[in-house]
Amino acid sequence: MKRRFLIAVLGTALIGAMLGGVPARAATTLTVHTLSGLGRELPAYTVRAMAPEEDGAPTVKVMEGDTLKIAGFSLILQENEDPYTWHEENAREIDSAYGTFASDPDPDVPNFLDAPTTLNPFLIHTPDGCGTAAETPCHFDGKTTLNPFGFFSGPRAWVQIDAKKNSEFWIVPQTGDATAETALKVEVTDDPAAVTTQESLDAYFKSAKASDRAAAEATFKAMQKPRFREEDGHRIYQAYAGYESGPIVFDANFPYKLTIRKGDEVEWNFEYEFNFHTVTFPFKKGVKLANEKGFIFACDPDGSGEGPDNPPDFEATTPCEDMTQFEFDLARKLTAEAGDGVFPGGFENSGFKGADAPTTSDMSGGTSPWSLTFDKRSTKKGYRYVCAVHGSFMDGRIRVK
């Protein structure tokens, strides 16, 4: 009996070898970066898709059942979506399915402030809370656009690829149009030898990050130079609340300190795709807006659902007991333009600016410039301002002589 069993086993192995059979391949996990910091001392990061290029696009090849560990806040588009037109068509408007902002049906926080805008729940919640660990990956079958990054999940997400062989899809930044540098193509192959290696991803990441860091350092230095034009007997200085250069994003005000003359004007520019900022005077009010008055957490039992409204609980501690009820509201004082355009004076705020911030009655939105005229001299320290989105580390000063 044992002899017959051995012969059967050997025969099966021989047939397998004759037919070219190979042992089943174990599923693998690849780590790919779609966002990376550029050093603690440099207030910048890159949203470059860190993978070697094929046919002009950063590309990763996987097999069905493999897992991608994505480092960087991204969306995974359904199969056959064009990444370069998708964002403009699906994520620019308020209340669009995949946009950043939504209207809040509960705009008034009792005895507190007006909060008519909320972050889109699609960007806050992941399906079934998946993606936070290798043991609980999100599953992507290629049929529906997926956000694997929940509000509390952090900048890494695990996604098991269940899309079928010979399919392809794209991973793009959560905000901003995809570009040839930021859109990552994923191809599902049936050839184990074609699968991208972690070694090639790591080598590309190291090289590309070093290159982007060098470019960021040069740009940071160049942006400190004052720029102005003469108009009607006074100067109009160009300043930048945040800045972007290709895939490199700066969380800084440029120039950090600007010296002007009494009666001059400063015009802040907001030409960016991937981030949001404000210019807010005076500094202390801006910091308070960033820390406690501008962003409001709530546990809302029905959110924007149809039917009778169930008021949200603004006193609940976060995270909510039921995280599908979690809501992240934005105060109008943060999002809308405020002030008379002259400083010093009262509260002056550019509003929430960025290409993905729609222009509505409650949000300044867009990328149009915002100006202030300074009609009084300052101390040597100058008038300090802040981005009320990012808080006190993103400040700047205007010294008026």
Side-chain angles (χ1 to χ4, degrees):
M1 186 69 179
K2 290 182 179 178
R3 185 168 176 267
R4 290 181 181 177
F5 177 75
L6 179 60
I7 291 174
V9 171
L10 292 174
T12 301
L14 179 61
I15 292 171
M18 293 173 62
L19 295 177
V22 294
R25 168 187 174 276
T28 189
T29 297
L30 293 175
T31 299
V32 61
H33 294 259
T34 59
L35 181 150
S36 176
L38 296 174
R40 290 186 178 183
E41 72 282 7
L42 191 64
Y45 58 92
T46 178
V47 290
R48 183 183 300 279
M50 299 289 192
E53 288 189 8
E54 290 192 19
D55 298 324
T59 302
V60 172
K61 293 183 178 180
V62 299
M63 295 187 72
E64 183 181 350
D66 286 348
T67 296
L68 287 178
K69 179 184 176 184
I70 305 169
F73 298 100
S74 302
L75 299 178
I76 306 178
L77 305 186
Q78 68 184 54
E79 295 173 14
N80 303 317
E81 284 278 11
D82 177 7
Y84 305 114
T85 61
W86 179 88
H87 191 85
E88 187 69 32
E89 295 173 353
N90 293 278
R92 282 289 193 211
E93 302 299 323
I94 195 165
D95 295 323
S96 58
Y98 305 108
T100 307
F101 303 100
S103 301
D104 186 2
D106 302 296
D108 297 316
V109 183
N111 303 315
F112 194 41
L113 44 78
D114 181 23
T117 308
T118 187
L119 291 187
N120 186 352
F122 175 79
L123 297 181
I124 296 177
H125 308 296
T126 60
D128 303 318
C130 64
T132 57
E135 297 76 22
T136 57
C138 292
H139 288 262
F140 179 74
D141 63 3
K143 307 305 179 186
T144 307
T145 294
L146 173 70
N147 170 40
F149 293 89
F151 191 84
F152 291 101
S153 64
R156 290 173 175 79
W158 284 259
V159 180
Q160 181 174 312
I161 307 304
D162 297 331
K164 302 303 180 184
K165 65 181 181 181
N166 301 322
S167 62
E168 71 175 41
F169 55 90
W170 294 81
I171 299 175
V172 299
Q174 278 189 344
T175 61
D177 288 328
T179 70
E181 297 168 310
T182 64
L184 175 67
K185 182 167 69 172
V186 181
E187 297 180 359
V188 183
T189 179
D190 59 355
D191 180 6
V195 173
T196 304
T197 66
Q198 189 62 58
E199 289 76 14
S200 67
L201 290 172
D202 291 345
Y204 186 91
F205 173 65
K206 182 178 180 180
S207 174
K209 182 177 178 179
S211 176
D212 281 355
R213 178 181 171 82
E217 289 175 337
T219 300
F220 188 87
K221 182 178 180 180
M223 291 299 294
Q224 301 297 342
K225 181 181 178 180
R227 298 170 174 85
F228 64 86
R229 67 180 186 272
E230 298 278 355
E231 191 172 296
D232 298 329
H234 69 283
R235 291 178 175 180
I236 300 177
Y237 283 84
Q238 297 300 299
Y240 298 83
Y243 190 72
E244 293 179 6
S245 177
I248 301 171
V249 181
F250 292 89
D251 285 334
N253 291 297
F254 298 105
Y256 169 71
K257 188 172 183 180
L258 185 60
T259 300
I260 66 176
R261 298 175 297 188
K262 177 183 174 182
D264 285 346
E265 180 180 339
V266 179
E267 182 177 78
W268 278 271
N269 296 275
F270 302 89
E271 297 178 1
Y272 33 70
E273 284 278 340
F274 304 108
N275 214 336
F276 307 95
H277 298 292
T278 79
V279 171
T280 307
F281 287 84
F283 175 80
K284 288 184 178 180
K285 286 187 177 180
V287 170
K288 194 168 187 177
L289 192 59
N291 292 339
E292 58 183 272
K293 293 287 187 179
F295 302 95
I296 304 98
F297 298 92
C299 296
D300 195 341
D302 57 9
S304 57
E306 298 179 359
D309 181 46
N310 296 300
D313 181 3
F314 294 103
E315 301 299 325
T317 57
T318 55
C320 305
E321 185 175 342
D322 179 357
M323 278 305 296
T324 63
Q325 298 182 7
F326 177 69
E327 189 173 275
F328 192 63
D329 298 340
L330 307 176
R332 191 177 189 281
K333 194 170 186 179
L334 169 72
T335 61
E337 185 176 326
D340 61 5
V342 178
F343 197 81
F347 178 73
E348 297 283 342
N349 184 47
S350 66
F352 215 80
K353 291 283 193 176
D356 271 7
T359 300
T360 69
S361 60
D362 299 310
M363 183 179 291
S364 61
T367 59
S368 59
W370 179 77
S371 299
L372 277 184
T373 298
F374 293 81
D375 64 354
K376 292 183 181 178
R377 292 183 175 88
S378 70
T379 64
K380 287 185 178 181
K381 289 184 177 180
Y383 298 119
R384 192 179 182 192
Y385 64 96
V386 69
C387 170
V389 178
H390 292 92
S392 57
F393 85 87
M394 188 174 165
D395 66 335
R397 295 177 187 270
I398 306 295
R399 183 187 176 192
V400 185
K401 296 195 297 183

